[in-house]
Amino acid sequence: MLSKYLGDKPFWKITARLALPIAIQNMLTGSFQLIDTLMVSKLGDVALSSVGMAGQWSWLLNLVSFGLCSGMSVFAAQYWGIKDYKSMRRVLGIALSTASVIAVLFFVPACFFPTSVISFFNKEAAVIESGSAYIRIACFSYPAVMLTVILSGFLRNIEKVRVPMYVSAVTTVLNAVLNYGFIFGKFGLPELGVRGAATATCISSWTGPVLLLLISAFQKNHLVQSPKDLFSFKLHHIKAFFQRAIPVVCNEALWATGIVVLNAVYSNMGYEYYAAVTILKTVVDLAFAFFVGLGNACVIMVGKSVGKGSIERAVNDSKRFALLIPLTALVIGLLMVCFRVQLIGIFNMGNNISELTVNTARSIILFVGLEMPLRMIAYVQVVGIFRSGGDTFMGMVCDVGSLWVFAVPAAILCSKVFCLPFVAVLIIAYLAEDIPKSIFCLIHFRSLKWLKPVTSEGIKGKEEYFRSKKQI
């Protein structure tokens, strides 16, 4: 009976093989921001807040690239299930071409109009000056970030999950060493403060795609292909790709933009509050690595089964992940609550952070830790199940609709009209997003309308599955 809900031995064996390396990789990737935040926190509240605000622009880029990668995964995982390597390479080529355009769109404002980008989040002169200095350098890492996300995502889809993990380990260590050297002037390097953090980010970010390509060339896996194989796509291939990918990219872009608006609301309530949000985000990003690992395992396993036409297996595995990920969130959330004082203490070892920032961080980490299982109900549905099944549109509706219709208006009203305390505004915004989204996602999940295969084998398997259900 327990295996029906939490999975049998083969389920756990495959999940562990896929999820653990991906979780470790994302934890290492999350360490990028952690290292920046820890070291910059020694420079004080203004520096910490400004780097956090500048990081919102690159975070938005990360989510758009994640959306593009998810769109690619809809095809890549299902094509991998039927070993259609030619189509997989073509999808990778379309994703890389699109990623190049997106990287330029983010680079130009950050490089040439940095004060405009930072002033969206905060109007204080000191914060704008510090944040602009950071983002003007950090923007040169954006193409590398896009490449790393797409290449790593493709490797995960073909179940080469260890390669991105190894590369992330190298780049994280390099980032830590360079951060220490450039921020504080160690190892004979110049002391650059927040500009040093940006310089370290650029160098370590470009190391990622270079190592991914070198290792893949040595392994001779499907990532390294001739330009002819990658870019041999035609107009109808692009159209088919974007029919599935555009809802995902729009989903991530609009959701990320909504979060940016919320962060602007928070930061304009005071830079000390936003320093607390920066601490919260760093802690949550590290905890989130486990869910990214499980979510990617869900995409690979469910998507592969859907592509092969093994619909019953796909549905059973989706039910297991729908239960497993919120249960994991309960455990991790409680750990965050129990160790929140110690976690905040890591950022305040030099007593450079104000008491208001520390107390605010303690309160919001308590709430977010307790609320995490609710947030993960919708996460596994949108990112793991709906997309692997081929349904990218409904996930966008649930994700973006709940944020823009409920959470953003609620935050603006509570802060600007009702003048509620900062912690109350954040709590209301979280609940206004997650409660309706979880309800809508569970209804759609139960309907099985998210099963939309892109392969002929998957379409045939879906027809047979529903035919057998009617007979019962």
Side-chain angles (χ1 to χ4, degrees):
M1 179 63 71
L2 193 62
S3 64
K4 178 181 177 182
Y5 297 102
L6 291 179
D8 49 18
K9 191 173 181 180
F11 171 85
W12 279 103
K13 185 177 180 180
I14 298 172
T15 300
R17 177 171 62 84
L18 296 174
L20 287 177
I22 297 172
I24 292 170
Q25 183 214 343
N26 279 276
M27 187 176 293
L28 290 167
T29 302
S31 299
F32 253 59
Q33 182 65 32
L34 173 63
I35 291 166
D36 280 359
T37 305
L38 282 175
M39 294 190 183
V40 171
S41 68
K42 296 182 182 297
L43 303 176
D45 283 336
V46 172
L48 177 60
S49 183
S50 63
V51 170
M53 292 174 195
Q56 285 298 300
W57 191 246
S58 59
W59 176 78
L60 179 58
L61 171 69
N62 268 299
L63 279 200
V64 173
S65 61
F66 174 71
L68 179 61
C69 182
S70 297
M72 177 186 71
S73 297
V74 171
F75 294 89
Q78 293 193 31
Y79 286 142
W80 178 247
I82 59 171
K83 307 302 178 187
D84 185 352
Y85 304 131
K86 183 178 180 180
S87 296
M88 287 172 56
R89 295 166 194 152
R90 190 167 56 232
V91 166
L92 175 60
I94 297 172
L96 288 172
S97 302
T98 309
S100 301
V101 176
I102 293 172
V104 171
L105 292 176
F106 276 82
F107 171 83
V108 170
C111 183
F112 298 104
F113 311 102
T115 55
S116 298
V117 174
I118 301 302
S119 62
F120 175 80
F121 301 101
N122 194 278
K123 305 300 183 184
E124 297 185 41
V127 174
I128 292 174
E129 180 182 0
S130 178
S132 298
Y134 178 90
I135 201 171
R136 187 181 285 114
I137 298 171
C139 65
F140 287 93
S141 69
Y142 294 170
V145 170
M146 291 294 298
L147 280 172
T148 301
V149 170
I150 298 300
L151 298 179
S152 297
F154 185 82
L155 286 169
R156 287 196 293 265
N157 289 141
I158 63 174
E159 300 183 50
K160 295 287 183 181
V161 293
R162 293 181 181 273
V163 176
M165 179 185 70
Y166 296 145
V167 171
S168 290
V170 173
T171 55
T172 299
V173 172
L174 179 62
N175 187 49
V177 173
L178 292 176
N179 258 299
Y180 184 64
F182 280 117
I183 292 175
F184 304 111
K186 306 296 182 181
F187 313 126
L189 297 172
E191 183 178 349
L192 301 176
V194 293
R195 291 184 292 119
T199 303
T201 296
C202 280
I203 296 172
S204 51
S205 292
W206 275 106
T207 305
V210 172
L211 287 178
L212 287 172
L213 290 171
L214 287 175
I215 294 172
S216 295
F218 178 78
Q219 290 184 344
K220 297 181 180 179
N221 62 44
H222 293 283
L223 180 63
V224 179
Q225 301 294 332
S226 68
K228 181 180 178 182
D229 288 334
L230 286 175
F231 304 107
S232 62
F233 48 82
K234 294 181 172 58
L235 185 60
H236 69 275
H237 297 132
I238 298 174
K239 183 179 178 181
F241 178 86
F242 281 107
Q243 279 180 340
R244 303 296 177 112
I246 282 180
V248 188
V249 175
C250 290
N251 184 167
E252 298 300 336
L254 291 172
W255 186 82
T257 304
I259 297 299
V260 168
V261 172
L262 287 177
N263 285 331
V265 172
Y266 301 150
S267 64
N268 281 298
M269 295 180 75
Y271 72 85
E272 289 175 306
Y273 291 129
Y274 195 76
V277 173
T278 302
I279 294 173
L280 169 70
K281 183 179 181 302
T282 306
V283 172
V284 170
D285 283 351
L286 282 176
F288 203 70
F290 294 99
F291 308 118
V292 173
L294 289 169
N296 274 273
C298 177
V299 168
I300 296 167
M301 291 169 66
V302 175
K304 189 176 178 181
S305 295
V306 171
K308 290 193 299 184
S310 303
I311 304 300
E312 185 169 2
R313 179 73 192 188
V315 171
N316 288 337
D317 283 349
S318 68
K319 291 178 180 177
R320 290 161 178 166
F321 279 110
L323 180 61
L324 173 62
I325 291 181
L327 285 177
T328 305
L330 177 63
V331 175
I332 293 175
L334 289 175
L335 288 173
M336 283 175 55
V337 170
C338 293
F339 294 101
R340 66 188 185 280
V341 175
Q342 291 81 359
L343 289 169
I344 296 167
I346 295 173
F347 298 91
N348 196 31
M349 288 186 290
N351 292 319
N352 294 315
I353 300 177
S354 69
E355 185 177 352
L356 176 59
T357 296
V358 170
N359 291 335
T360 302
R362 190 177 299 154
S363 298
I364 59 181
I365 290 176
L366 171 63
F367 165 73
V368 170
L370 295 175
E371 199 259 0
M372 190 171 284
L374 175 63
R375 174 151 287 212
M376 289 303 107
I377 290 174
Y379 172 79
V380 64
Q381 302 293 337
V382 173
V383 175
I385 297 172
F386 297 168
R387 292 178 185 175
S388 62
D391 183 2
T392 56
F393 179 75
M394 191 59 190
M396 178 188 72
V397 172
C398 294
D399 215 13
V400 175
S402 59
L403 179 63
W404 282 99
V405 174
F406 299 107
V408 171
I412 294 173
L413 283 172
C414 290
S415 63
K416 302 294 184 182
V417 178
F418 301 117
C419 299
L420 295 182
F422 170 79
V423 175
V425 173
L426 183 138
I427 289 174
I428 291 170
Y430 263 74
L431 294 177
E433 178 186 358
D434 291 338
I435 292 175
K437 181 161 63 175
S438 297
I439 294 171
F440 296 146
C441 283
L442 288 174
I443 292 172
H444 189 62
F445 173 65
R446 286 177 58 85
S447 73
L448 297 181
K449 292 179 180 179
W450 50 271
L451 286 166
K452 296 182 178 180
V454 299
T455 64
S456 56
E457 291 86 349
I459 294 170
K460 182 180 178 182
K462 176 185 172 182
E463 292 172 352
E464 292 175 353
Y465 176 77
F466 282 109
R467 193 180 302 120
S468 66
K469 287 293 181 182
K470 286 180 180 180
Q471 291 174 354
I472 295 173

